[in-house]
Amino acid sequence: MDSRRAESFSDGVFAVAITILVFNLLPIGREALGYRVLASAWPQYAAYVVSFLTIGIMWTNHHTLFGHIRQVDRQLLVLNLLLLMGIVALPFPTALIAEHLTGPDRSGGQAAAVVYGAVMVMIAFFYNAIWWYLRLHAEKRGAASSLPLLRGRPPGFGVGPVLSRIPRWGIGVFGYAVGMLVAGFVSAGAALAVYGLLAVFYLFNHLPNSRGDEPVPGG
Amino acid sequence: MDSRRAESFSDGVFAVAITILVFNLLPIGREALGYRVLASAWPQYAAYVVSFLTIGIMWTNHHTLFGHIRQVDRQLLVLNLLLLMGIVALPFPTALIAEHLTGPDRSGGQAAAVVYGAVMVMIAFFYNAIWWYLRLHAEKRGAASSLPLLRGRPPGFGVGPVLSRIPRWGIGVFGYAVGMLVAGFVSAGAALAVYGLLAVFYLFNHLPNSRGDEPVPGG
Amino acid sequence: MDSRRAESFSDGVFAVAITILVFNLLPIGREALGYRVLASAWPQYAAYVVSFLTIGIMWTNHHTLFGHIRQVDRQLLVLNLLLLMGIVALPFPTALIAEHLTGPDRSGGQAAAVVYGAVMVMIAFFYNAIWWYLRLHAEKRGAASSLPLLRGRPPGFGVGPVLSRIPRWGIGVFGYAVGMLVAGFVSAGAALAVYGLLAVFYLFNHLPNSRGDEPVPGG
Amino acid sequence: MDSRRAESFSDGVFAVAITILVFNLLPIGREALGYRVLASAWPQYAAYVVSFLTIGIMWTNHHTLFGHIRQVDRQLLVLNLLLLMGIVALPFPTALIAEHLTGPDRSGGQAAAVVYGAVMVMIAFFYNAIWWYLRLHAEKRGAASSLPLLRGRPPGFGVGPVLSRIPRWGIGVFGYAVGMLVAGFVSAGAALAVYGLLAVFYLFNHLPNSRGDEPVPGG
């Protein structure tokens, strides 16, 4: 199957998932409305902005990743489906954080941040799984211009033969797992700071395009 | 009408239907939130995962099926619409199961599982109806490379001239009907096991592509 | 602007509108669930089925209509937007009917059926408006192969120079207005029968394709 | 990255955002339903119509804008994402206005209108940001036929070298900021009138297409 079909289906799922984040905002102000009520709902706005940008950045990276794929098989489709299952679930921990971050019980916000981290670990894991699968089947599945990248060592990935095979989002599994620990044992706020840093990292750092020698447009 | 239009509309419907499954997760934790509350909501997570994979697999099979179609007419559009009507309805029994599986009354979970089976029977029925319609109008509607498959006997379909004309999802109508009986007369859990086995079956077994001699990519 | 852009945007809107009809089903069974509760919710299922098929048929007709359009201008885009505004609103009267048809007060169901008819009158009106606009600007906007149809008299439209210029959905404005009167002064059930007949009419009768001499596939 | 990918993703987001506006209508008539109940809900209908047309017009203008773009880079993708973040948020102030415009407390409606204006200022700001970015990187990012427009002075933009570089939606940032002040210090109704005038302005006035000398179709 041509990879374009899978991409356009994924695009639809990303578009719906990013748009229904607005339901996090809607419960505000069922009763009396004033500037104070609006201001006290700031965790809802923050959660909306962070999750919107996170899903948006993941959409961009999904395209970069699929730009290296020529043809999908059923294994790739299932891996992509599992990746989308994590992305679609993201509004759930977003809503948990929006509701419980400023709640009376500290532990409610922490539990919410743990769930957020767990979903992100799952997403990062399946990004990596697709990448590894693609490297292992580079000849049959990879785009022609991506073969050097898929076979070789991605530029700028640093040290050693192992690390060089881990794409930049490889640190996501590790980073978000650390965030979960911070959420569970330190505080929800500290965990959110970790997640924010990781989002900024992915905004500026990304998988090189097949040319590999420059951060190509859209790469 | 070119079959691509119908496919891209169907893709959109699949993408929205699979994404709104997240609303099954959202009601969790309106009040106090803790690991125990999160854990006790496991039927919601399970229902989300099963229905997400089920719709995802059905999307893949929809593509395989439409890969055999060259041109759609109004009859095919209506059959496809009735198929989509079942798929879009799936979040409804999913929500019923998520809410009633661990409820105090055993019969609530059973009724929910019966509804789930009924929707799946309807979906399997219309997959078969499209397949039969396509075989009957193979010359006018079928893709050129699919004519041998549509006219002949699909490889590996086993015994006899009748069975060989039933596509592999033909067993869905039967299998999900059995699941309904199990749900109504035995238990909801046993029915879910049947549904899970059928989902795994469809994940690995699928309509051959027009080449017919190998489980082609995306087939 | 190429008409394809407007079509693919419209497709997306149709796909979302048809999918969110499932929210009509979701409120069932919040408390105890049994076959009696499920059976008593039949107006919800009926409303789901009727609105799903109605939007599905309108999607098909939208494609037939846009098949006659080569290029859109801002006027056509605005007319199309107003048409979509009616289609997107359809889940609203659908929900009203689902909730009030079997309610204790007869007049609630009637009011709901009046709103349903009003939305359908609006939709039929804008289908006609697009058709008339297209006839008036046939040279600049119409597809080349559709010019004979747009300039001449659509085949089979019956009697007289006026009627022949009214496309088959022209009777929708009239028919749904009659349905509204029936809803307001007779009963909700009788109005639903009128709406059902109109849906069946549109399923089998439709604007001819540019060839005009046969009910072409997808036409 | 080809600009078409970003456009089709944006189209999906627009399609979902415009369709979920119907949820503003759905809460009506949970209890007894009658013509009086339906009539008293007029702010919900008005909010639906205004926001539907606003998002629809923005979709049209988004296409005109992207018609001038040949290739997107990560900066453009992020600017587009921030623009979409505003558009997706629009159902939120729409719901606030629908609920609080006719409420008992005058200030509730005013606060809702301020939020509406704030979201619109954000949207207008990012439309301008994309336009400026495009002018600054015209050679690398602009469509070939748009270079004269991007380098030169857009026709009909009036006086002076500064104003001529502000696209017509440049007045949106200013106009919606004025609307916010009107909302906060005068009344919600007056602010809605300002927003309505701005919507009508954008309906008829728009960024010229690359030809620049006539209001080209779809421009």
Side-chain angles (χ1 to χ4, degrees), chain B residues 86 90 93 112-124 176-177 179-180 195:
Chain B
L90 212 51
V114 167
V115 176
Y116 193 93
V119 172
M120 290 304 295
V121 166
M122 177 185 160
I123 290 170
Y176 283 108
M180 281 178 74
Y195 301 152

Side-chain angles (χ1 to χ4, degrees), chain A residues 7-72:
Chain A
E7 265 191 281
S8 84
F9 175 71
S10 305
D11 277 6
V13 171
F14 272 103
V16 183
I18 210 171
T19 312
I20 61 180
L21 287 171
V22 71
F23 288 110
N24 272 324
L25 300 176
L26 291 180
I28 294 176
R30 282 273 173 243
E31 288 130 43
L33 186 72
Y35 298 111
R36 189 169 294 186
V37 171
L38 286 168
S40 71
W42 68 265
Q44 299 196 15
Y45 312 138
Y48 171 75
V49 169
V50 169
S51 284
F52 196 97
L53 292 179
T54 302
I55 294 183
I57 293 165
M58 289 192 302
W59 170 75
T60 315
N61 288 331
H62 190 268
H63 266 308
T64 309
L65 182 58
F66 268 73
H68 294 291
I69 297 174
R70 184 171 47 86
Q71 240 201 351
V72 295

Side-chain angles (χ1 to χ4, degrees), chain C residues 1 5-6 8-9 12-13 16-17 20 23 71-74 77-78 81-82 84-86 88-92 95-96 99-100 105 107-112 114-115 141 183-184, chain D residues 4 7-8 11 14-16 18-20 22-23 25-26 28-35 38 45 48-49 52-53 56-57 59-61 63-64 202-206 217-219:
Chain C
M1 191 195 278
R5 279 245 93 85
S8 84
F9 175 71
V13 171
V16 183
I20 60 179
F23 288 110
Q71 239 201 351
V72 296
D73 54 7
R74 202 156 259 253
L77 283 181
V78 170
L81 207 57
L82 292 167
L84 292 177
M85 194 164 79
V88 167
L90 211 52
F92 167 53
L96 289 181
E99 269 180 73
H100 297 283
D105 56 333
S107 64
Q110 282 181 280
V114 167
V115 176
R141 302 281 158 247
Chain D
R4 238 182 298 170
E7 266 192 280
S8 84
D11 277 7
F14 273 103
V16 183
I18 210 171
T19 311
I20 60 180
V22 71
F23 288 111
L25 299 176
L26 291 180
I28 295 175
R30 282 274 173 241
E31 288 131 42
L33 185 72
Y35 298 111
L38 286 168
Y45 312 137
Y48 172 74
V49 169
F52 196 97
L53 293 178
I57 294 164
W59 170 74
T60 316
N61 289 331
H63 267 308
T64 309
Y202 282 118
L203 182 58
F204 289 105
N205 261 281
H206 34 89

